[in-house]
Amino acid sequence: MRRSSPATALVALALTASTLAASTLAASTVAGPSSASAPSSARATPPPKTPTQVGRGGAVTSVDADASRIGLRVLRKGGNAVDAAIATAAALGVTEPYSTGIGGGGYFVHYSARTGKVQTIDGRETAPQAMPRDAFINPRTGDPYRFTPELVTSGVSVGVPGTLATWQRALHRWGTRSLDQSLAPAARLARRGFVVDQTFRDQTVDNKVRFKAFRSTKRLFWKHGHAPRVGKRLRNPDLANTYDLIARRGPQAFYRGPLAAEIARVVHRPPTTEGTKLPVPPGHLTARDLAAYDVVDRRPTHVDYRGYDVYGMRPSSSGGATVGEALNILERFDVPAMGDADALHHYIEASALAYADRGAHDGDPAYVHVPLRDLLSDRFAAERACRIDPDRAMPKPTKPGNVKTYDGRCGGGAVAAESDPVSDTENVETSNLTVADRWGNVVEYTLTIEQTGGSGMVVPGRGFLLNNELTDFSLEYVKDDPNRIQPGKRPRSSMSPTILLRDGKPFLALGSPGGSTIITTVLQMIFNRIDRGMTIPDALAAPRAQQSNATMRTLAEPEFIDLYGAMLRPYGQRFTPSGDSFTSASEIGAATAVEFGPGGLLTAVAEPKRRGGGSARVLHPKPAG
Ligand code: GLU
């Protein structure tokens, strides 16, 4: 820390509290009812979680203790970072089924210690070939479907899942283990069951109406007429069998044949329960769409930020472009020398500018030209930075810059283009994991089924939920909108798995869930760490704010408003507390990170509090003291 801030004090308290809670839990769980032989009626304690662990030899951090444990075991047995990441992700499909799973998609970023290169896989869901441009219009009334309930819980929002193909591709490119080896621990976990914690129960209760609307989902997640109780073991033998099937036959067992046909059937004829009042519009996905799915290998985005090389995800995600542009703008200012209020004012303003350009330009590059070179150029950023008044918040929404006529000077050639800002539906779903191995390879992986609970539809007898990722397309069809619906297209994402190198070696890997707030969560963590001098646990735990250029008001966690609202008022900054109509949580993001210190020292970090806290593990923890 270069200066002490109220955030740090708050974070330190949170860390102490959650570390204490974790050790208390640890004491009460030893070989307790969470062991494999526990009867299903027994109440168990969810496995303990440690939000920060420092040590050597490899690291795995995710939101879930079982998943991190499984990934760490792969590292211990000689697997590399990719092997461990896939095993962790498969386990998250069991324990975080509302956020991740083979019914969804994601973005995988890999640093190879051998080549020194960062490379990525785009495993985003795609629109079905038969998806019409007016897919979000109710054919019976001619009116647009409402976002909720119609689009969120629907077949029409289900995209072709990319997660399994991502796992296969990552293992093929960089792994040392097979897909069947990678799925085995998760299949065992699904069969044995995991201990329900408060977060899982809350998420289930938040989805009560949706989950009860489908026979298959009700059977799995609303059995016996209620949400699973905390301390109960939730088993998912159907998912175990699905993983086993894929292990035996490969991803073809998912993308072709009976399972593909079943997925298409669910989309066309949602398995609704009798008497549900939810409308559930059917969709367009076919078995042929599944057979045609493929991931895309992409080069990462790259910006240089205060001597660090920042690599992120290029479109179809807007993550790398938007985080990168905002960093380039911030780099024009001596933020590290500023106090909290000035620094945060600049962070908010830079975010708004980058989001304005995101809305105007980012989309699936197979369908639209994304001027990435311009968006990430220092000259463009220099001109955009001119828009920031150090004393006064700019009116928002602000217009995007003109990527064709910029010259880097204030008052220079750029003419703001006319375009409406695109509003986003903020949410708290998705999951993220970070893995490092003993050889120095690193994985940053964000995966999702979009909404918490995805489309709400479990594929009957298969144990996993289908995504509703196509709600990430713009809801209205506008011809010039880079994110308009098109058949086969990937909807624009905000996922921002990011790896920072210093002198060619990993310095920091980080990512987060949280819909459109992902971008600012990743940006804010980098800004907290590099510009505000926080440690990485503090940078991650510090309260968050998201300015996405939708309105003048910045969305912020209540703690952020308590700490900084008054000091940012004189700048004209105003805030709306986070939290939305879908969930009972007010968190922004549930991030993970690993920082790489001298001599191979790893600091693995997860959330101390958000989403019930996460589980950061290293292979050889540094002895205390
Ligand atoms: N659909 C989101 C995106 O791709 C991810 C899910 C979420 O966290 O909202 O940006």
Side-chain angles (χ1 to χ4, degrees), residues 124 427 429-430 448 450 469 472 492-495 513-515 518:
R124 183 67 158 172
N427 231 302
E429 54 279 333
T430 305
T448 187
E450 166 48 21
E469 210 71 57
D472 277 359
R492 174 171 56 217
S493 171
S494 301
M495 289 188 261
I518 293 172

Side-chain angles (χ1 to χ4, degrees), residues 498-519:
T498 304
I499 295 179
L500 280 72
L501 307 185
R502 187 168 49 189
D503 302 326
K505 297 273 180 273
F507 166 69
L508 182 62
L510 73 171
S512 177
S516 67
T517 66
I518 293 172
I519 290 167

